[in-house]
Every structure is written in structure tokens, then in C-alpha cells.
Amino acid sequence: MKCFVGIDLGSTTTKAVVLDDQGRILGRGITNSRSNYEVACAVAREEAFADVRFTSCERALPDGVLDAAHREAFLDALARAFRLAWHRERLDALADAMRREVPVVEALFAGPALGPHVEAIVLRMRELADPLFAKGAPRRSDFFRDVATSQFHTLGEAFAKRGAGSFERLMAVFDKAILKAENQESHFSPQASAEFAIGRALAELDLDAKAAANSIVRPLLAAMSAELETVQTVGTGYGRATLPFSREQIRSEILCHGLGAHAMFPGTRTVLDIGGQDTKAIQVDANGLVTSFQMNDRCAAGCGRYLGYIADEMNLGLHELGPLAQKSCRPVRINSTCTVFAGAEIRDRLTLGQKREDILAGLHRAVILRAMSLLARSGGVHDEFTFTGGVAKNETAVKVLRDLVTQNYGERTMNVSPNSIYTGALGAALFARRTPARVMEAVA
Amino acid sequence: MSPIATSVRKDRSQEQQKALIADYYGRLGALAAAGQGAPWTFVPGNLTELLLTFDPLPVLPEINALQSGMRKTSGEQVLHAEKLGHSEDVCAYVKASIGAWHQGNVGPTGDPLPKPNLLLLSYTGCFTFLKWFELLRGETKAPTVMLHVPYQAQGGITNEMRAYVVKQLRETVVPALEKVSGKKFDIDKLREHLRLSALAEDDLVRVLEAGKHRPSPIDGYFGAVYYVGPIFTAYRGTQAAVDYYRDSWAEIEERIARGEGPITPDGPMGEQRFRLVVEGPPNWTHFREFWHMFHSEGAVAVASTYTKVGGLYDRGFRHDPDRPLESLAEYCLNCYTNLNLSSRVDLIADYVRDYDADGFVVHSIKSCDSFSAGQLLILREVEKRTGKPGAFIESDLVDPRYFSAANIKNRVESYLQMLGQKQAVGGHA
Amino acid sequence: MDAPLTQAICPERDALIERAEGLVRDTTLASVARWKQDRPGSKAIGFLPPYVPRELIHAAGALPVGILGGGDMEVVRGDAYFQSYICRLPRSTIELGLSGALDVVDGMLFPSICDVVRNLSGMWQILFPKSFVRYFDMPQNFEPEIGGRFFEHEMRSLLSDLGALTGRCVTDDDLRDSIAKFNVNRREVRALYRLRAEQPWQVPSSELYALVRAGNVLDVDDHTAMLRAYRATLDASPRRPKDMARVALRGCFCEQPPLELIKTLERSGCFIVDDDWVLSARWIDGDIATDGDPLWNLVLAFLERAMPCPSLYELRKERGEELVDGVRESKAEGVIFAAPSFCDPALLDQPMAMACAKAASIPATSFLYSENTGQFQVIREQAGTFADSIRLS
């Protein structure tokens, strides 16, 4: 199958989207951006292709084999099984990396042997993997690093108390290993994963694998092993200049966001993207081509990263900010969206006895007010209005934005997609489809 | 993308310009070595011909600051001033100037600068000038003479405005210069300088308007900084300036005949994909890097407003030997930064039309409220008027902390790709 | 212990202050609307800091309205016009304009104070093309026959434009009447300032600030009456002396400090005995002559007796010397430089004033604010420490 890949190297996360030659989305991948953009790019791409394999499976499941309810349950089980396979594979890579780091840390910091404890923790993490992807389990972070870090942290503390020596030594092993494990490309085997996932999904639904061999297993495995040919890749995002791509394979994120938003919501005329480091207000025409845009100035005030600092300052997860802010009855007015001052201002306000939710509500409003001024600069808010970027996941931000847009521009259809974080990568993939392959050959 | 070349390419006029600037600083150095002072003054609304009538060579603190910026020494000067209690919020030219004074009053070329024997405060188009020379007065204890140039608030010069400036020239500026120089004012000598100015101005306009050609033989913003150098500094009203502009125009005519573009520091510019009008001063600390962001993408500036801060010659103004003080007054009143916002919008929109530009760039400078306050409205109005998209980028003059290369490059690239997309769709955007 | 007397109960005074503070906080200019309602067909003319000759507006039959930004109002649209490194005042002023809060004024005057306000005048011309907008260029040459004649022409054309707007042909006697009324008003303002310098416990600066600033939106006679009524309450119900550090406040001549900031300074132990806020209320030191050519009298008063302001070229003294004089006159023991963020005239002035203060052995401290500053903790600590250090020395 011919594939077109778009990669968005953001300051916080790196995203990849794979399209088929009809422009349909086959797969998405996301990973934490790190100092090494090339690796982040490879990991996101790999995840996206794993997702493509799953999508192929899904499409290959013949009609009529399962009734509607079973079909849905089977696909759900299959998706979780795929993610479990992926998770296990990453865990193995992490375990290998930790084994290599144990002697290094032991040599650096004296103390009891770490090897047995690391092995015990790995074993426990394996046991914890299954429930993570069990039916009905709440979906956790998309990032292996987040899940692994939190598990290792908890387990490490417990083991350290039981005499594994200092907690810091165990964490030192983990910290070094996770970097290396993340920075190596996996040896993910589509075939093996598919066999594992299909088997597991069948088992979960109590379906007989032998009976399903022809009707389900074979077509799915065939779809899995279909060859995927990357025809063209286009990169975008802050780190795009670091990609080993030719000039034709690089597009600014403004253009990609405009086109991506238009692809998700074809009626889009105005796009607001609030990402980690920057905020963009973009106007597009009926074809998704950018006609005007504005970006925030050099400081990241009022961007996603600002909310990240706030979350850290309040000891909260990023995803907890929005829900907490919604509890506010009396939002306070925050006058500074300066990230540098935010911490001090929050501590001051908390000292004054102001409630966390009221402060948070004020902070969300301050962030959206900054975005409103960029929107005005770029030419206003026209119907339809699409909100993208990490902050679009925050329901308080969405609500405040909706209110302010209505107040200032009247009723607007406002689109927010759960996949909005992939907007830039989608736009890049669409550009990849438009860029002739010969350009790439010429470069290669 | 081609990396920035390590050696700098220059054309003939740039070599000449460099020699003129070196000669200027050399002569200032000689004055300083001889223990002599010199009048200090500003570029917009400068009275070079009048000063030359009394012989002195002016020191121009703005030029010192920008030259220091290009030579990467302004950062330390700014920090020095901040250590002395100057705010991070205010104009970096002022801080570079104060810092340089405290670091021994040495010019950007390493030549010592003469101390001011007069601070000629030509207060045109910028309130900061007033504070700047009050600060320098406090530091240097030099006498100050103020020339207040009223603002063109209603979009024109009235008889009262002109009369006010002429009266100040006659009754305060000239007597101050007579006192400092010990010479009597010789109006015929002034007329001769004004005659030479007008000659040079004719050729300067030819040079700047060459941007109307396709391909443009000059870069009307980055490249034009070199062209306006002599006339913005101490050379207006001299034969050297007349020669320089005549030679520059001859060089450009040759390039037009050959269908060539400008020479950038990284070599001759290639295909010109985008023609732009630029509003706002350049950044000096990363001048080459900034220019590279444009020319490497095939963008050429065909016209700019910054090249008009020292006079709007392309709109018809000439120094006039027959109306010496009146034309000096009109010159002061007519500098770009003394125009009101509507006039600025008109000028930029005219440039977009007359130079057949694909778009325009507003480079907004933290230091300079005179330029920057209202630029977002200018952007919107010019877009409305011309139907061409504008880009908005921000940095600073000589404070290197405010040049965020990644952010600026991102905006420039996005903008040019947007223009490229428009051209691809609509034939010629 | 001394609370009962210091906090002398005086309902009349409380009511006056409540009214004044209400007028300061009311960005909708309801008092101006009422004034116009009572006089059908009348006009109001807004002006920005630091100064316009209100006598001209008054003589033309209109109400001069001082516009000093939007305080801590939320700015949504105004931010779209200004980069992050521009002060707050023009943002909130644009916000007021775009939100219709300034519809009640029939014209706007932008005095020559700085590049931002100068360019704001042009923005106003573009954004509100039908409204009466004038840039008011004050001379920086103080010779009567040079700067004076230029200013005279500026004033005459403004007066004739105002007359055309209000439909009144202004006579010299009209102008004399107006000058006389503002002379009385300025006398009242100065009396209050004098009293504060002599007995600062009697006239808390937060009250003086609100009272003086209320004059921005009141008819001059109404305002004079308000100031007189306030002084009468001080005679009837005096407050008991207190000892706090006496400071002069500088830097507030354009974007205004929040009322809460002034209260914070007082709570942290500072008597503000000299300041440069709401300069338009006392721009001219002393009375303006009413005989002869009244307009020329206004010109001369400006040339010879204008308050020192960083935006006016200082010809006679070195920058900072006037501060030292002010400190001596008001018997201040220290100076607080409180400049609005990104205020070029105030911040460029500061090093010179600081140096002069240092040379004269006057203790000084500085901080930044903006009209919407909402956090005073740090300022309170800083001012408290400063006040303590003054009293201990």
C-alpha cells in the first residue's frame, strides 16, 4: 500500500500521521519530543505505522463474520491487544537497557547489588501491563515513558524501603535506561504482534481460534503483512529544520495547521492552535490555503507550556487543570501571563487564601485572552472556527474561548476534534500527497 | 538550505560606502586625538549642511549604536547601562550610547570619539531623542540646543509649523553654532552645501527607485541600508556624497542592463520569487542572519520605509539653495517618523502598488515606540488597502537578547510559503 | 490605641470619598452622560495626559473629560493593536473606544507626551474616522516669540475647531470666565496639596488622589465645591497626628497607579507628601491672568509656570534638580519612583532623578506598576522596608 507521511516536530510532542493514496488516515503516532528530534521523529513514525497495521486489520475484517455487537467488542479487544503488544515490546527494550545500566550505576554509587531488585521490578511491571489494557480499563497516558516512570517510581520506593539501597540509585538506573530505550528504534515485528493480538482478542471474546482461522485470522494476518511503501514524507513543526529532509519536504506549521484543520472540518475559515511553545491564529480560504496568520511573540506566555508550569506549581497533572478550574464560582483576575512570574503570583495568591480553582479559572481566561488578541490581529473569527493543539483538550479553555468568541464575533460554529493534536501532522501528510515523488527520489 | 557564507561579498558601492564610513570615523578619531570636541546630533531631522557651514563634523550616536550592533559590541554597552540603573524596558540605542560613553567614548571602529561641544537636539519624530540628550547632557555637561519639530498630525506641513522651525533655526540653533565654532554664519556657504545635497538626493532617489525593476537590481531594505549610509550621516551636502551616489547609480544601471539582482553578503542573489515592501528599522545585531532568512528564500525587498527616516526624497523633497532655512525646516518636518499613521499607511500602500510587490513585512522593534506603536493597525490597513498579505515580525535594534532567530525564521518562512502557495494557486499572487 | 481619633468618624467625608472613588472607578463615564443630559445639545471633549488647557474646552461650552486609561478593566480587543512591549494605557483606551464607553465624549485630544500617545492619535483618526480627533502639540521651545507664538496658533486653531463643534463663537470674555473658574479650582487643589504636605495624617493620599482625579469627569464648579466640602470636613472633624515616613512619589504622570497601590503605600507606613499624578489638575503653578489677551495669558502660563514633567524638555535645570526642589519643599524624606512598565519618559528620566536624589542624600527606591496591577504584596514589603529605613535613619 502506498503511504504518505506527515511529521510534526513540536516542542513538547512529536506527531506522525500516515495517509493512503485516497487521503484517508491510516494511522497516527505520538511521542514526547526530546533533545534528539531525529529519534522522536522515528518513534512517532513507528507508532503511526503500528497504528496503520491495526487499521489495516480493522479494514480487513470481513463483513458478516461477526454480528455488530461482537464486531465492535472484537475490534476494541484487538486495539487494546495491539497496544499491549507495543507496550510489552517497549518494556523489554527498557529492561535490556536497565540491565546494561546496573553495573554503571553500581560503580558510580556504592551500595547493595541492584540487579535482583531491577529484575523484580521489571517482573512486576510486566504483571501490571495486562490490567493497563484490560477491558474497560481507563485509558492512561499515550506515552510509554509516562506510564513506565510512574510505575517505576512507585515500585522503586517500595523496593528501596525493603533494602534495595537508596531509591536514588534505582532511579538513576531507570533515568539512564529510559533515555536509551526511547532513543533506540524498536524491533517491532508486525507479524508476531498481529498473531498475539488476534489470538488475545479472540480469547477475550471466547471465540474459537480454530473455527475463526479462515474467516478472521487469515484475512487479518494477510492485511498485516501487506507491504507499506512510503511514497513521500513532509515534516513540519519547530524542529523541522533539523530533519534530514529536502526543502520541498518541509512546510511551515502554519500552512500545515491550516490544511490539516480544513481536512478535519472542511468548513473551517479560522484556526486557533495553542501548542506548547506558541499560539497561532490562522485564516484559511475554502481550499484550506492560508491567507493570513499571526503568532505570539518570542516569549511563550499564554501558551500550553504556561499551563504546564502552573500544573507543576500546583502539583497537578496537566489534565487536571481544566476540570478543577470548572469548579470555580469566583474566578480571580490574573493580569500577567508571564511564565516567569506565574509561579510567584500563584504562591502569593494562595497565601492570600484565594482558592485554587478560582486562580485556575483566572489563568485559563488569561491564556484565552492572549489568543483572542492574536485572532483579532489575524483578521478575526469567521465561521467555521476550529480550535486545535494540546490546549484544545482542556475543556475550561474551550468553554472560555467559546464565550469570548460569541461575545466578540457572534455565534460561530466551533470545531474541536479529539485528534486535534494531530492537525499539523495531518496537514504535512496532505502536503506529502501533493508533493511529487520524483522530488524525493531526486533527493534520495 | 545554503549555509551563511563565511566571507562577505560586497559590490563596488558597498566598498565605497565602507570607505566613507571608515573615513568618517577616522576623522572623528583625529578630532578626538587633537582634544577637540564636536557637535552630537541625530539622524532624522539632521542639519548636516548647517553644521558643515561652520565646519564641524557631527557625531551621530544612533549611527554609533547601530554600527556597534553590527560589530556585536552593543550587547555589552546595553548591559553596562542597565547596570547603571537603566530599565530593561527602554530604547536600546539610548542604552548603547550611555554604555559606550561610560566605556571610554570609543566609536564602533575603535577610534576614539570627540566629546560633545554641543548637543544639537533635533527633536524630530521621536520623543526618546529628548530624554536621550538630557541623559547625555547630564553625563557630558555639554551645552544643549533644542530644535523642536512639530508633528505632522493632520497629514501635512502648515505655514506655522515651518515658520516655527525656521525661527528656531535662526534664533537659537545658528547662534549656538556661532558660539561653539567662533565663526559667523555664512548663508552662501550653506547654499552651496544645499546645492550639493540636492544633487546627491537626485541620484539617491534613482538608486532607491531601481527597486521597481524586475528583477530588482537592489535590495531596498537590507541592501539599501548601505546606500542611505552616507546621506544619513555626515556626507550630505558634500562632493563625496554626490560622487558616491553618481557611482552607485551607474553600478545599478549596469546591473539593470544585465538583468541582475543585488549582491548579498552570501553572494549574488538568485531567482527573485517574492517582492516585498518592508516597514520598520532592521535588526543590527543579527543583520546578516536576518537578511539571509529572506534572500535564501528568494525574497527581495523592493522598497522600505526605514530608508526614509533620513528624508522622504522619493516623494519630491529636495534641499533648496534658494530657500535655505525654509527647505531645512521642511526637511526636518518631512522625515518618515514625523508622519502620522494615515500618511504612513498611504506611503506603504503606495509602495506596494508602485513597486508591484507581492506583500509587505512589518518588522516591529521593541526599542522604538515611534515606529512600533500602531504598527498592528498599519498592518491591517495596508492589507485592506492593497489586498496583499502582510507579515509581522518582532525583534530589536541593538539589544541582541531580543533577536529570537527560531521565532523570526518561523514567521518569515511561514509567510513566504504562504505567498508561494498563493502564487501556485492564482498564477501570480 | 489611637484608632478612634485617627479614624475620626465623619459621614460627610466618607460620602465625599465614596463619591470620588466611584467617579474614578467608573470607566463608563456616567457622570459625563448625566452632565450632557442636563444640558441638551452640549458636548464633552476627552483628553489624555498630561495636559490640555481645559479653559479652552470650557469656554467653548463643552465639558473637559480627562481620560486616564481603563484601570483594571479586562482588555480583549485593545491588546490586538499593541505589541507586548507597549504600556497598558493605550490598550485600555482603545478598548474603551471600541466598546463604546467613550461614545459619550464628542472629541478626543491627544497631547504631545510620548510616541505611543502620539501614534494613538493617528490610530484614533483611522479607527473612528467620524470623530473629532486632535493631536495637541505643546512647544519644547519656551521663548514667547518662538515657542509661544507657535503654541498660540495651536491653541487658537483648537479653540476655533472646538467652537465649530459646539456651535459657539468663543469671545475673550468667555475665555476669561473659564480661566477664572479654573484658577479657583487650581487654588483649591493646591490648598489640599499644601495641607497634605503640612499635616499628611489629615489628608490621606488615597483620598487626595480620588478627589483630584474626580475632577476629570466633573464640571469645574462642581469639582471646586467637592474639594471645599472635603476641606470643611477636615476642619470640623480633624484626624489625630501620626508619624510615618514622608515620601515623594514620581513616575505616575500618565498611566495612573491603581487606587489600591496608593492605599498599599500608605498602609506600609508611607505618607505621600508629593506626587506627579493627575498633573493636568495643577499643571499651571499659580493663577493665570484674566486681564489682557486671555489666550496669550494661557500661553505664557504654560511657558513660564508649567509643572515639571518628563515629557517636557527641561531647559532651566538639570533633570532631577526639580525633584530635589520638590522634595525640599514638601519636606519629603525619601523618593519612590513608581513608573508604569514600558513608560519611556518615566523610565528614561529615572536614572537622572535617581542620581540627583543620591547626590542630595535623599533615599530612593523604585518599582514598576501598570494600571491593572492586582498584586501588591511585593510592593507592600518593599515600601514598608523603605519607610522603616527612613524612620530609623
Side-chain angles (χ1 to χ4, degrees):
Chain A
M1 191 170 18
K2 287 187 191 310
C3 295
F4 300 87
V5 184
I7 295 186
D8 178 1
L9 277 168
S11 62
T12 321
T13 55
T14 296
K15 285 79 60 172
V17 166
V18 182
L19 300 179
D20 65 11
D21 50 8
Q22 307 294 307
R24 288 177 301 182
I25 296 174
L26 292 174
R28 300 182 183 91
I30 185 166
T31 184
N32 284 315
S33 295
R34 19 189 110 89
S35 48
N36 189 341
Y37 275 131
E38 217 169 311
V39 172
C41 170
V43 173
R45 185 206 296 261
E46 203 179 6
E47 276 210 32
F49 273 103
D51 197 29
V52 172
R53 297 281 174 195
F54 169 70
T55 310
S56 320
C57 271
E58 196 179 356
R59 287 193 191 163
L61 182 63
D63 288 332
V65 179
L66 297 169
D67 64 42
H70 276 89
R71 188 184 170 87
E72 195 184 326
F74 177 76
L75 288 176
D76 174 58
L78 191 63
R80 282 184 283 102
F82 260 108
R83 294 215 308 275
L84 174 60
W86 178 251
H87 182 87
R88 283 185 174 177
E89 198 277 331
R90 297 262 108 188
L91 198 53
D92 287 347
L94 175 65
D96 283 347
M98 288 202 289
R99 284 180 198 114
R100 284 193 295 273
E101 291 305 328
V102 163
V104 180
V105 172
E106 283 176 342
L108 278 173
F109 311 103
L114 290 169
H117 300 287
V118 167
E119 290 303 333
I121 293 177
V122 168
L123 201 64
R124 186 76 193 104
M125 284 171 82
R126 272 186 181 289
E127 290 164 14
L128 287 170
D130 279 25
L132 275 180
F133 300 98
K135 193 176 174 182
R139 184 151 184 187
R140 302 281 293 277
S141 167
D142 278 323
F143 305 123
F144 173 75
R145 175 202 274 257
D146 293 354
V147 175
T149 306
S150 127
Q151 286 180 349
F152 193 94
H153 202 274
T154 316
L155 293 168
E157 264 180 341
F159 275 81
K161 271 184 208 150
R162 277 189 256 153
S166 67
F167 171 66
E168 284 69 27
R169 289 171 74 234
L170 278 173
M171 282 315 287
V173 171
F174 176 81
D175 288 342
K176 284 166 181 278
I178 188 84
L179 271 178
K180 295 201 172 140
E182 274 189 327
N183 289 356
Q184 78 183 40
E185 288 179 44
S186 74
H187 307 290
F188 182 76
S189 151
Q191 192 69 25
S193 308
E195 281 169 14
F196 166 80
I198 295 166
R200 195 176 166 93
L202 289 172
E204 193 177 304
L205 269 80
D206 276 336
L207 295 169
D208 181 357
K210 275 192 187 132
N214 280 326
S215 58
I216 299 180
V217 179
R218 190 161 304 149
L220 262 55
L221 281 179
M224 268 314 262
S225 52
E227 188 158 335
L228 298 177
E229 180 205 351
T230 301
V231 180
Q232 179 62 291
T233 304
V234 164
T236 187
Y238 246 33
R240 63 181 182 267
T242 64
L243 290 171
F245 289 1
S246 72
R247 185 196 283 273
E248 290 75 15
Q249 286 176 280
I250 292 179
R251 289 288 186 290
S252 90
E253 63 235 62
I254 299 284
L255 266 61
C256 291
H257 271 86
L259 195 58
H262 173 262
M264 291 197 289
F265 302 101
T268 300
R269 284 295 180 279
T270 302
V271 186
L272 173 67
D273 178 85
I274 309 187
Q277 285 283 6
D278 62 31
T279 301
K280 307 180 258 286
I282 308 170
Q283 309 289 341
V284 295
D285 66 12
N287 301 309
L289 300 186
V290 176
T291 56
S292 144
F293 69 91
Q294 285 287 324
M295 290 170 71
N296 60 304
D297 55 18
R298 70 186 186 114
C299 93
C303 301
R305 186 59 62 82
Y306 172 70
L307 289 175
Y309 278 115
I310 306 300
D312 288 348
E313 194 62 43
M314 291 196 166
N315 232 337
L316 293 167
L318 199 51
H319 58 283
E320 294 173 276
L321 293 181
L324 189 54
Q326 283 199 324
K327 291 188 185 142
S328 164
C329 305
R330 294 184 51 210
V332 300
R333 186 170 295 172
I334 304 283
N335 295 323
S336 162
T337 43
C338 177
T339 316
V340 180
F341 295 133
E345 177 156 5
I346 287 165
R347 283 190 293 274
D348 271 1
R349 289 182 180 276
L350 289 171
T351 318
L352 290 172
Q354 289 175 336
K355 287 187 190 161
R356 285 204 306 183
E357 55 262 40
D358 293 339
I359 298 171
L360 278 175
L363 290 165
H364 279 79
R365 192 169 176 86
V367 167
I368 296 302
L369 280 172
R370 294 267 304 194
M372 288 298 292
S373 86
L374 285 180
L375 280 166
R377 285 180 199 180
S378 76
V381 178
H382 303 279
D383 227 11
E384 295 170 7
F385 173 47
T386 300
F387 183 24
T388 68
V391 176
K393 281 190 192 164
N394 179 317
E395 54 269 60
T396 301
V398 172
K399 186 183 176 303
V400 175
L401 180 62
R402 194 187 298 276
D403 291 350
L404 279 167
V405 164
T406 308
Q407 267 168 40
N408 287 282
Y409 297 98
E411 285 297 332
R412 292 283 183 269
T413 302
M414 186 163 142
N415 307 309
V416 184
S417 157
N419 288 320
S420 82
I421 198 161
Y422 294 102
T423 310
L426 172 60
L430 288 164
F431 276 117
R433 252 187 90 228
R434 293 178 179 189
T435 308
R438 59 180 168 77
V439 172
M440 194 174 171
E441 282 157 21
V443 176
Chain B
M1 244 170 291
S2 67
I4 297 181
T6 42
S7 65
V8 181
R9 296 283 303 268
K10 283 185 164 42
D11 55 15
R12 210 165 62 222
S13 67
Q14 277 176 324
E15 295 292 354
Q16 283 180 6
Q17 188 265 359
K18 201 180 160 194
L20 286 175
I21 297 291
D23 172 60
Y24 164 62
Y25 279 110
R27 283 190 286 150
L28 287 180
L31 279 176
Q36 290 180 28
W40 288 28
T41 195
F42 292 115
V43 171
N46 72 72
L47 301 169
T48 305
E49 298 88 346
L50 188 62
L51 291 169
L52 293 177
T53 305
F54 294 92
D55 287 341
L57 189 63
V59 173
L60 298 152
E62 290 156 290
I63 303 293
N64 297 341
L66 81 83
Q67 289 283 344
S68 302
M70 285 181 121
R71 291 158 211 244
K72 312 266 182 207
T73 53
S74 60
E76 269 186 44
Q77 295 167 347
V78 168
L79 286 179
H80 193 115
E82 288 181 4
K83 262 184 238 149
L84 294 170
H86 287 261
S87 167
E88 212 179 294
D89 287 1
V90 301
C91 174
Y93 267 179
V94 177
K95 287 183 283 189
S97 167
I98 298 288
W101 174 260
H102 277 269
Q103 290 174 353
N105 195 31
V106 173
T109 53
D111 295 304
L113 292 172
K115 287 183 180 157
N117 54 20
L118 179 71
L119 294 167
L120 173 51
L121 174 43
S122 60
Y123 171 63
T124 298
C126 169
F127 280 79
T128 298
F129 284 166
L130 188 156
K131 306 310 294 180
W132 189 344
F133 268 19
E134 282 182 350
L135 282 159
L136 282 177
R137 186 178 67 180
E139 300 281 359
T140 65
K141 310 296 175 207
T144 313
V145 62
M146 152 70 92
L147 175 69
H148 175 210
V149 177
Y151 184 55
Q152 285 200 36
Q154 300 293 330
I157 299 173
T158 63
N159 290 335
E160 286 75 16
M161 287 158 79
R162 188 187 304 106
Y164 176 39
V165 178
V166 168
K167 221 175 195 179
Q168 292 178 80
L169 288 174
R170 193 173 285 136
E171 295 179 29
T172 61
V173 177
V174 165
L177 287 168
E178 284 179 329
K179 194 173 161 199
V180 163
S181 66
K183 290 180 187 161
K184 271 310 287 155
F185 174 49
D186 177 353
I187 198 156
D188 292 324
K189 208 172 161 196
L190 174 62
R191 286 183 210 274
E192 177 56 16
H193 286 302
L194 292 173
R195 191 184 64 78
L196 291 173
S197 291
L199 284 178
E201 286 155 8
D202 284 344
D203 277 327
L204 169 68
V205 170
R206 289 189 184 102
V207 166
L208 294 179
E209 291 196 333
K212 289 179 180 170
H213 286 270
R214 260 178 200 277
S216 173
I218 62 160
D219 184 284
Y221 180 58
F222 299 103
V225 159
Y226 297 96
Y227 291 124
V228 295
I231 210 151
F232 276 16
T233 55
Y235 287 95
R236 213 176 64 206
T238 66
Q239 188 60 43
V242 175
D243 296 345
Y244 168 75
Y245 287 104
R246 198 186 44 229
D247 288 355
S248 298
W249 172 235
E251 184 188 40
I252 289 165
E253 272 190 304
E254 289 166 23
R255 278 217 291 272
I256 294 171
R258 291 195 299 265
E260 286 175 1
I263 309 284
T264 78
D266 307 299
M269 187 175 169
E271 189 201 351
Q272 295 183 2
R273 296 175 58 213
F274 309 108
R275 296 167 62 83
L276 303 175
V277 170
V278 186
E279 144 77 12
N283 165 278
W284 302 112
T285 54
H286 298 72
F287 186 81
R288 269 185 75 186
E289 192 179 350
F290 194 27
W291 189 356
H292 186 265
M293 290 178 192
F294 288 86
H295 74 67
S296 65
E297 300 285 330
V300 64
V302 287
S304 64
T305 55
Y306 176 69
T307 48
K308 313 298 156 29
V309 293
L312 276 162
Y313 304 110
D314 62 333
R315 312 310 270 183
F317 171 80
R318 291 291 180 277
H319 284 90
D320 183 354
D322 295 332
R323 300 167 58 246
L325 293 183
E326 287 77 6
S327 77
L328 270 178
E330 282 164 13
Y331 163 75
C332 296
L333 286 158
N334 226 338
C335 291
Y336 177 71
T337 44
N338 206 42
L339 301 185
N340 74 359
L341 252 66
S342 297
S343 306
R344 285 170 66 189
V345 169
D346 288 346
L347 187 72
I348 299 167
D350 286 354
Y351 282 169
V352 169
R353 186 193 61 211
D354 298 344
Y355 287 77
D356 197 15
D358 302 306
F360 64 100
V361 174
V362 176
H363 181 229
S364 182
I365 286 293
K366 171 190 169 276
S367 274
C368 189
D369 288 346
S370 174
F371 259 106
S372 302
Q375 267 176 336
L376 283 156
L377 183 62
I378 291 179
L379 175 87
R380 182 185 292 192
E381 290 297 307
V382 175
E383 279 187 338
K384 219 192 305 177
R385 194 86 71 79
T386 62
K388 307 278 181 178
F392 196 77
I393 46 183
E394 295 163 83
S395 77
D396 195 30
L397 297 167
V398 294
D399 188 338
R401 293 170 297 182
Y402 290 89
F403 190 88
S404 167
N407 184 302
I408 294 169
K409 193 167 167 30
N410 197 9
R411 290 195 204 194
V412 172
E413 265 182 30
S414 298
Y415 176 69
L416 296 177
Q417 288 183 10
M418 177 178 95
L419 289 185
Q421 219 174 36
K422 283 196 165 196
Q423 286 177 350
V425 172
H428 189 66
Chain C
M1 312 168 276
D2 55 359
L5 266 178
T6 318
Q7 308 293 328
I9 295 166
C10 179
E12 295 87 353
R13 187 156 62 217
D14 292 349
L16 277 168
I17 296 305
E18 199 185 320
R19 179 175 177 226
E21 287 194 5
L23 290 167
V24 167
R25 291 207 165 96
D26 178 23
T27 49
T28 67
L29 301 177
S31 63
V32 177
R34 270 197 304 280
W35 185 90
K36 285 176 72 176
Q37 240 163 39
D38 295 343
R39 298 163 184 79
S42 62
K43 309 276 187 201
I45 302 293
F47 67 91
L48 266 73
Y51 166 78
V52 299
R54 289 173 295 167
E55 291 87 345
L56 298 186
I57 302 170
H58 185 268
L63 179 70
V65 180
I67 309 286
L68 292 176
D72 69 347
M73 74 183 293
E74 184 172 275
V75 167
V76 182
R77 278 172 278 188
D79 267 344
Y81 293 93
F82 294 101
Q83 302 89 326
S84 56
Y85 46 79
I86 300 222
C87 60
R88 156 101 181 172
L89 177 111
R91 302 165 196 275
S92 58
T93 306
I94 290 266
E95 185 83 14
L96 288 169
L98 291 175
S99 65
L102 293 179
D103 289 356
V104 68
V105 297
D106 302 276
M108 287 283 276
L109 304 180
F110 297 85
S112 52
I113 181 170
C114 71
D115 295 315
V116 173
V117 168
R118 184 196 71 184
N119 289 6
L120 186 61
S121 74
M123 295 175 73
W124 219 268
Q125 289 169 332
I126 293 172
L127 287 170
F128 308 100
K130 285 179 195 148
S131 67
F132 177 94
V133 182
R134 291 292 180 279
Y135 179 70
F136 185 64
D137 217 344
M138 296 185 272
Q140 300 282 7
N141 174 301
F142 302 95
E143 292 297 321
E145 285 308 314
I146 306 175
R149 289 299 168 201
F150 167 75
F151 198 37
E152 182 191 11
H153 179 264
E154 280 284 295
M155 288 227 222
R156 279 209 200 285
S157 45
L158 176 61
L159 188 59
S160 98
D161 290 351
L162 287 168
L165 185 75
T166 59
R168 185 194 274 207
C169 180
V170 184
T171 65
D172 277 359
D173 281 338
D174 291 337
L175 199 48
R176 286 188 189 103
D177 271 359
S178 300
I179 291 174
K181 281 182 194 295
F182 280 95
N183 277 342
V184 173
N185 184 263
R186 276 187 290 261
R187 264 180 243 150
E188 281 303 323
V189 171
R190 276 196 302 271
L192 204 56
Y193 266 83
R194 245 191 334 268
L195 184 59
R196 183 184 66 168
E198 285 159 12
Q199 303 176 335
W201 53 90
Q202 288 281 27
V203 188
S205 283
S206 55
E207 293 185 2
L208 173 137
Y209 175 70
L211 286 164
V212 174
R213 198 174 153 178
N216 271 333
V217 293
L218 291 178
D219 183 84
V220 58
D221 294 334
D222 190 4
H223 186 235
T224 302
M226 180 188 233
L227 297 175
R228 282 182 176 151
Y230 177 79
R231 274 214 295 148
T233 69
L234 298 177
D235 295 337
S237 170
R239 287 156 159 148
R240 187 168 146 174
K242 270 205 288 192
D243 185 28
M244 299 206 294
R246 298 167 60 95
V247 303
L249 189 67
R250 282 293 185 279
C252 316
F253 51 89
C254 182
E255 184 172 318
Q256 294 293 292
L259 198 51
E260 197 54 38
L261 171 60
I262 296 165
K263 291 182 179 171
T264 298
L265 294 180
E266 295 190 302
R267 273 187 220 122
S268 54
C270 296
F271 277 137
I272 301 167
V273 292
D274 188 25
D275 64 67
D276 60 355
W277 59 54
V278 206
L279 275 187
S280 59
R282 54 204 171 97
W283 185 266
I284 303 295
D285 188 19
D287 280 355
I288 299 172
T290 48
D291 56 346
D293 179 349
L295 195 123
W296 186 244
N297 293 343
L298 281 168
V299 170
L300 285 182
F302 176 91
L303 297 178
E304 291 161 4
R305 287 182 280 132
M307 287 285 283
C309 175
S311 64
L312 270 197
Y313 179 58
E314 186 54 69
L315 188 68
R316 290 150 282 208
K317 298 174 183 172
E318 284 301 321
R319 269 294 172 205
E321 281 179 26
E322 82 281 355
L323 168 71
V324 175
D325 293 348
V327 164
R328 299 247 155 87
E329 206 174 307
S330 62
K331 297 193 178 64
E333 300 160 292
V335 185
I336 295 179
F337 292 99
S341 293
F342 299 108
C343 175
D344 268 11
L347 289 168
L348 288 165
D349 213 52
Q350 200 166 297
M352 293 182 270
M354 276 284 202
C356 264
K358 197 177 169 197
S361 303
I362 301 166
T365 188
S366 69
F367 57 79
L368 291 174
Y369 70 87
S370 62
E371 60 175 7
N372 66 333
T373 295
Q375 285 297 100
F376 301 101
Q377 208 89 320
V378 176
I379 292 173
R380 188 171 186 162
E381 265 171 49
Q382 190 183 340
T385 311
F386 185 62
D388 287 349
S389 73
I390 285 175
R391 270 178 299 178
L392 291 175
S393 64

